[in-house]
Amino acid sequence: MLNKLKTLGPGLIFAGACIGVSHLVQSTRAGADFGLGLIWALLLVNLFKYPFFQYGSRYATATGESLLDGYKKLGRGILVAYFIISFATMFTVQTAVTIVTAGLASSIFGTIISLKSWTIIILIICLIILILGKYRLLDRLMKVIIITLTLSTVTAVIMALTKNSTPISLQQVLPKNKIEIAFLIAFMGWMPGPLDISVWQSLWSLEKQNTTKNYNTKSAIFDFNVGYIGTVILGIGFVLLGTLIMFNSGETFSNSATIFSGQLINMYTTSLGNWAYIIIGIAAFTTMFSTTLTTLDAAPRAMDKTTQLLLRKSTMFNYRFWIGILSIGTVCIFLFFAAEMGFLIKVATILSFITAPFFAIVNYKLISGKHTPKAYHPSKSLHILSISGIIFLIGFSLWYITTL
């Protein structure tokens, strides 16, 4: 078991990428607006997305290649489609998570520094960590951050439950009007994260193989499962916090990053007490900082690999080029949408859900086809879950489109 714990890495980085907007923002909103009525959606989407995320680690460690290499083997058009989808979403995703992180920093440290300045400072810090520290530092940081977040969140939930005096309704809710359906799709779009994170997972798994002995398919799947189960448990925790503290309170979350962040931290301190303000504030900040850091690393890493495969050689469009472009694009979008955090998050999460069937189908086809050794093909139960997941994702996407 000790050896397994030593190989943990990409799974925790995956958790760090996921436990951000989907948990701190969307899950608390779900609890505040619907109580525990959307727990069914949280559990279902985590169940049906599971195999497609896991295939990132499985394929990479089984073949020594990233999913992007596999996409190219399936057809150049698939790789081009990935490039277009990734380019179309990465700026909005990065801006959304960075704004929330900057808002938390502003709430914790005061308004001496403007939200705009915090955004730039956070991006610069992330750039320094990634360019100088590279994967090894990212791997080490995430272990500390995830442990801190887990302990603080579980403590907050327990305290909130002990102080709650009203019965909790377990009645589930199926949203009916357009606003509620749009929220449901947004909620599931980033729960636990967009499916393109499977590509990132494959790249992180390869990096782990290069830096750690005995990181094989078995240990990679164990590592991934630890991170995945953690994201599910914490997702339920945030829905519980939203339910216990804000449901039927008459208070709603603001679309302003700074105001929302203050509401979020106050939600924790309501359950733990004012003494916990700084501790919880730092925990929430490190959570969002981890998401900002991992997305800023992963998207450029994926775009670098994609351009290499498409152009069949190393070019100026490398990791540093893409991380620079993503940082500049994030600042530019922020300048126009700083006050519309809610709108940015809605756009990013809905785009993620609508594109989910594409990644589900391609990942399943790749892992169960001739490009993956048969010994590493999914089990019969995973085959059934994969097909069910594809039907689920397509069905909900069509449902959303027809209700627009």
Side-chain angles (χ1 to χ4, degrees):
M1 179 59 73
L2 184 61
N3 290 333
K4 285 186 176 181
L5 294 177
K6 288 181 179 179
T7 60
L8 292 179
L12 297 184
I13 297 176
F14 169 88
C18 291
I19 304 170
V21 171
S22 64
H23 290 59
L24 282 171
V25 180
Q26 299 295 71
S27 293
T28 48
R29 280 186 187 274
D33 294 344
F34 298 91
L36 298 182
L38 293 184
I39 287 292
W40 67 269
L42 185 151
L43 295 176
L44 270 183
V45 79
N46 275 286
L47 173 66
F48 286 131
K49 281 187 177 181
Y50 169 79
F52 311 116
F53 283 125
Q54 192 231 68
Y55 294 158
S57 296
R58 181 187 289 262
Y59 182 81
T61 52
T63 65
E65 297 179 342
S66 70
L67 282 178
L68 294 171
D69 293 284
Y71 290 176
K72 186 179 180 181
K73 289 180 178 180
L74 290 177
R76 184 181 175 85
I78 292 176
L79 196 60
V80 171
Y82 171 80
F83 180 89
I84 294 171
I85 292 171
S86 184
F87 188 82
T89 58
M90 68 179 189
F91 297 102
T92 307
V93 169
Q94 189 66 49
T95 303
V97 299
T98 307
I99 285 180
V100 178
T101 309
L104 285 166
S106 183
S107 294
I108 296 168
F109 302 109
T111 56
I112 299 174
I113 300 177
S114 67
L115 187 66
K116 183 190 299 184
S117 299
W118 271 120
T119 301
I120 295 172
I121 290 170
I122 288 167
L123 283 173
I124 290 174
I125 293 173
C126 289
L127 283 170
I128 292 172
I129 291 173
L130 294 173
I131 292 175
L132 298 181
K134 300 182 180 179
Y135 176 81
R136 284 182 181 272
L137 182 56
L138 178 66
D139 187 31
R140 292 170 184 171
L141 277 176
M142 291 313 304
K143 292 175 182 177
V144 176
I145 290 171
I146 294 302
I147 291 172
T148 301
L149 170 67
T150 301
L151 292 176
S152 62
T153 304
V154 171
T155 302
V157 171
I158 293 172
M159 294 297 290
L161 284 169
T162 57
K163 290 187 176 184
N164 180 61
S165 57
T166 58
I168 299 175
S169 173
L170 296 177
Q171 182 177 354
Q172 299 301 288
V173 177
L174 182 63
K176 296 178 181 179
N177 61 53
K178 289 184 179 181
I179 295 176
E180 291 181 347
I181 292 173
F183 175 79
L184 175 65
I185 298 300
F187 176 52
M188 294 193 297
W190 265 5
M191 177 54 64
L195 270 186
D196 53 328
I197 292 182
S198 60
V199 172
W200 306 354
Q201 183 72 9
S202 70
L203 293 167
W204 288 325
S205 295
L206 291 177
E207 286 289 340
K208 186 69 173 180
Q209 270 194 324
N210 292 333
T211 58
T212 306
K213 292 182 179 179
N214 302 321
Y215 191 76
N216 52 33
T217 303
K218 186 176 180 179
S219 57
I221 292 176
F222 171 81
D223 173 30
F224 172 75
N225 286 341
V226 169
Y228 200 81
I229 293 170
T231 65
V232 176
I233 293 172
L234 289 178
I236 294 172
F238 281 108
V239 173
L240 271 168
L241 284 173
T243 301
L244 295 168
I245 298 169
M246 291 193 71
F247 186 52
N248 288 331
S249 67
E251 184 177 359
T252 57
F253 281 118
S254 171
N255 280 334
S256 166
T258 303
I259 297 174
F260 172 85
S261 301
Q263 290 176 312
L264 186 68
I265 296 173
N266 287 333
M267 183 180 73
Y268 273 99
T269 54
T270 298
S271 60
L272 289 176
N274 292 330
W275 62 270
Y277 183 89
I278 294 298
I279 296 174
I280 296 303
I282 292 174
F285 173 76
T286 53
T287 302
M288 285 310 307
F289 181 78
S290 72
T291 306
T292 303
L293 181 65
T294 51
T295 53
L296 191 63
D297 170 75
R301 191 183 293 274
M303 294 299 278
D304 173 23
K305 182 66 175 179
T306 304
T307 49
Q308 282 186 39
L309 291 171
L310 288 174
L311 300 176
R312 299 176 183 174
K313 62 179 180 179
S314 297
T315 66
M316 61 171 285
F317 303 110
N318 55 20
Y319 176 79
R320 292 196 175 191
F321 169 84
W322 284 111
I323 202 171
I325 290 294
L326 181 56
S327 300
I328 294 170
T330 297
V331 173
C332 291
I333 294 176
F334 167 77
L335 294 177
F336 289 99
F337 294 99
E340 293 296 331
M341 181 196 70
F343 172 76
L344 281 177
I345 291 173
K346 182 180 291 187
V347 169
T349 51
I350 288 175
L351 282 174
S352 296
F353 193 84
I354 291 174
T355 57
F358 167 80
F359 291 104
I361 293 169
V362 173
N363 287 3
Y364 176 62
K365 185 176 180 180
L366 181 61
I367 201 69
S368 58
K370 63 181 180 180
H371 302 297
T372 303
K374 285 190 176 182
Y376 300 99
H377 281 197
S379 62
K380 184 177 180 180
S381 59
L382 266 183
H383 274 297
I384 295 171
L385 183 58
S386 298
I387 295 170
S388 301
I390 290 170
I391 295 171
F392 173 82
L393 293 171
I394 292 175
F396 261 85
S397 296
L398 292 175
W399 181 41
Y400 174 68
I401 292 171
T402 56
T403 57
L404 287 176

